[in-house]
């Protein structure tokens, strides 16, 4: 962050300063970001659900506050470290969506619970319930995590959920709030109908688990889950009363490739970009830019070339520091220093590579925001 401020502070407010960035650089379009936040907030309100966006996407206190100002009840965090950063920034309602189990982490969780208004964490194991209860000095809200079939986290059956409910009830310093089920593998099914069928199947299972909990007096107050890839489907099914959507704020190539809403156009805009420059252009139709493996997460494939190149230009990774852009007609001749704008393939891990967001409006740098929770993997 210090280097970014030193390099770019003088550009803030200067017309067309985006063209003067040291590259590669992570850029947020403030206006597109605001529109994405507003659209999701309005959709959630229309369907009567609470919005608790996932901060693992942006890792930013500044963006979290924009989401809360637009109506979000709080934020989700995948890791305790992310939650600590948001709490330091003034966020008072946080759900940690992965179990917290190590002894040092449990002590930190208890300390965090002491200093914010509304903290909750998911559990999926009786031993974890007992460990939590043994360290807490103030009552903590807990939700039962339900495995949707991923076998990553979550109780594996309705019977296991009931057993966990009973364990929570035995502890006076644990408050049972509800359940979580996040269908991660279904989020990126490209075809809308196929994705809808997969989610309907999982929601039917969720309802059987909830029914068993209700039979034991454990009707959940909160039923949280849902993601950017399924929120239109989840809105129609009505099973969740809280949405954990994350990537909608930025969009990325993975979600842009999906039919999110069964509509002709994608309902959200790219608002996150990597700006790069041409550093070598010795072959007509090809150029090398200064953004390679260190500039993008690679699990989602290649980034999308949006500007600074002919339509249809494709990107290829060419090492840690470099990427190749190729004109499909092999005619374009680039000039050294030409700017190229790219949409990221997978936003969450790409953001984790950078210290800060360069926030632009039009072509002007207006702010620099820290990626405050970068690297907070525990």
């Amino acid at each position: 962050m210090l280097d970014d401020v030193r390099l770019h502070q003088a550009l803030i407010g200067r017309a067309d300063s985006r063209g003067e960035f040291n590259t590669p650089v992570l850029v947020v379009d403030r206006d597109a970001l605001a529109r994405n936040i507003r659209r999701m907030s309005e959709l959630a309100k229309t369907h009567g659900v609470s919005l608790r966006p996932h901060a693992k996407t942006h890792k930013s206190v500044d963006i979290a506050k924009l989401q809360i100002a637009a109506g979000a009840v709080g934020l989700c965090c995948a890791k305790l470290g992310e939650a600590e950063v948001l709490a330091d920034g003034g966020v008072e309602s946080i759900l940690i969506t992965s179990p917290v189990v190590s002894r040092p982490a449990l002590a930190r969780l208890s300390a965090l619970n002491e200093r914010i208004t509304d903290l909750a964490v998911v559990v999926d194991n009786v031993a974890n319930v007992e460990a939590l209860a043994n360290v807490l000095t103030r009552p903590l809200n807990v939700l039962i995590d339900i495995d949707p079939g991923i076998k990553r986290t979550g109780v594996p059956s309705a019977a296991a959920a009931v057993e966990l409910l009973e364990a929570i009830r035995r502890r006076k310093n644990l408050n049972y709030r509800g359940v979580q089920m996040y269908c991660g593998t279904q989020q990126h099914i490209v075809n809308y109908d196929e994705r809808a069928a997969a989610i309907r199947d999982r929601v039917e299972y969720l309802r059987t688990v909830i029914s068993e909990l209700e039979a034991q007096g454990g009707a959940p107050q909160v039923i949280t889950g849902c993601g950017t890839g399924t929120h239109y489907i989840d809105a129609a099914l009505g099973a969740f009363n809280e949405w954990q959507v994350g990537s909608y704020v930025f969009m990325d190539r993975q979600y842009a490739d999906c039919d999110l809403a069964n509509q002709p156009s994608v309902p959200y805009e790219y608002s996150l970009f990597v700006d790069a420059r041409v550093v070598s252009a010795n072959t007509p139709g090809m150029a090398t830019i200064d953004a390679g493996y260190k500039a993008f997460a690679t699990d989602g494939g290649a980034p999308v070339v949006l500007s600074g190149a002919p339509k249809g230009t494709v990107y290829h990774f060419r090492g840690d520091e470099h990427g190749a852009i190729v004109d499909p007609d092999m005619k374009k001749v680039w000039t050294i220093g030409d700017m190229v704008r790219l949409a990221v393939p997978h936003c969450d891990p790409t953001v984790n590579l950078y210290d800060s967001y360069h926030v632009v409006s039009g072509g002007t740098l207006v702010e620099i925001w820290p990626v405050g929770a970068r690297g907070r993997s525990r």
Side-chain angles (χ1 to χ4, degrees):
M1 178 62 179
L2 291 177
D3 284 345
D4 285 336
V5 171
R6 177 177 57 81
L7 291 169
H8 296 120
Q9 185 75 38
L11 298 178
I12 294 176
R14 185 187 300 176
D16 299 321
S17 49
R18 183 173 185 175
E20 301 179 49
F21 287 163
N22 288 268
T23 55
V25 61
L26 191 68
V27 177
V28 168
D29 183 317
R30 184 182 65 183
D31 306 310
L33 175 73
R35 288 190 292 270
N36 286 346
I37 290 172
R38 184 181 68 250
R39 286 168 185 153
M40 182 63 77
S41 179
E42 290 173 350
L43 186 66
K45 289 175 184 176
T46 296
H47 290 279
V49 300
S50 298
L51 194 60
R52 188 178 290 277
H54 222 306
K56 73 183 181 70
T57 297
H58 54 69
K59 304 169 182 64
S60 163
V61 171
D62 295 281
I63 295 175
K65 288 182 174 179
L66 291 175
Q67 292 172 314
I68 291 170
V73 297
L75 276 292
C76 289
C77 293
K79 294 290 187 174
L80 175 59
E82 295 173 349
E84 290 170 328
V85 169
L86 291 192
D88 290 343
V91 177
E92 286 287 335
S93 181
I94 300 171
L95 167 63
I96 301 173
T97 59
S98 298
V100 176
V101 302
S102 73
R103 184 176 299 175
L106 290 169
R108 288 165 51 206
L109 182 71
S110 180
L112 180 61
N113 190 46
E114 288 286 335
R115 65 187 180 97
I116 68 171
T117 304
D118 176 30
L119 179 66
V121 65
V122 302
V123 292
D124 72 357
N125 189 283
V126 171
N128 188 207
V129 167
E130 295 175 355
L132 283 170
N134 287 336
V135 301
L136 293 170
T137 55
R138 176 188 172 193
L140 174 69
N141 298 318
V142 295
L143 289 85
I144 295 172
D145 188 21
I146 299 169
D147 178 14
I150 301 174
K151 302 188 187 306
R152 183 171 62 187
T153 65
V155 293
S157 66
V162 169
E163 180 186 9
L164 204 54
L165 172 66
E166 293 170 350
I168 294 166
R169 284 172 163 171
R170 288 195 294 266
R171 298 292 187 165
K172 293 182 179 180
N173 56 357
L174 296 179
N175 298 325
Y176 168 68
R177 289 288 307 282
V179 299
Q180 169 185 275
M181 189 177 81
Y182 180 71
C183 300
T185 59
Q186 286 79 17
Q187 298 299 319
H188 291 101
I189 297 174
V190 173
N191 180 272
Y192 183 89
D193 290 336
E194 292 176 7
R195 192 166 65 256
I199 289 298
R200 279 194 299 271
D201 175 76
R202 293 297 81 201
V203 164
E204 287 176 8
Y205 171 65
L206 172 63
R207 286 178 168 143
T208 65
V209 177
I210 291 173
S211 178
E212 290 295 322
L213 291 170
E214 289 173 340
Q216 300 302 316
Q221 178 183 346
V222 176
I223 305 171
T224 187
C226 180
T228 296
T230 62
H231 68 286
Y232 270 85
I233 300 162
D234 288 320
L237 294 174
F240 295 98
N241 60 17
E242 183 177 275
W243 289 354
Q244 297 183 3
V245 288
S247 298
Y248 76 97
V249 290
F250 293 148
M251 290 299 291
D252 55 26
R253 204 219 68 240
Q254 286 185 312
Y255 275 120
D257 286 347
C258 296
D259 178 2
L260 293 185
N262 200 25
Q263 297 174 2
S265 60
V266 178
Y268 305 100
E269 309 170 50
Y270 285 132
S271 68
L272 181 75
F273 310 91
V274 169
D275 284 6
R277 290 186 190 275
V278 172
V279 296
S280 182
N282 295 325
T283 303
M286 298 180 62
T288 298
I289 62 174
D290 56 1
Y293 289 124
K294 293 180 180 178
F296 305 97
T298 61
D299 63 307
V304 180
V305 181
L306 297 176
S307 67
K311 184 177 181 180
T313 293
V314 295
Y315 172 98
H316 300 279
F317 287 103
R318 284 293 184 265
D320 291 348
E321 317 296 346
H322 300 116
I325 52 174
V326 181
D327 171 14
D329 295 327
M330 295 301 293
K331 294 179 180 179
K332 170 71 176 178
V333 177
W334 278 274
T335 300
I336 299 302
D338 282 349
M339 294 288 289
V340 180
R341 186 175 306 164
L342 304 107
V344 304
H346 186 184
C347 53
D348 301 22
T350 296
V351 165
N352 202 47
L353 299 173
Y354 292 85
D355 290 325
S356 60
Y357 296 107
H358 289 67
V359 185
V360 301
S361 180
T364 300
L365 176 67
V366 293
E367 291 183 271
I368 300 175
W369 294 338
V371 184
R374 177 193 179 192
R376 298 302 294 263
S377 58
R378 57 182 182 271

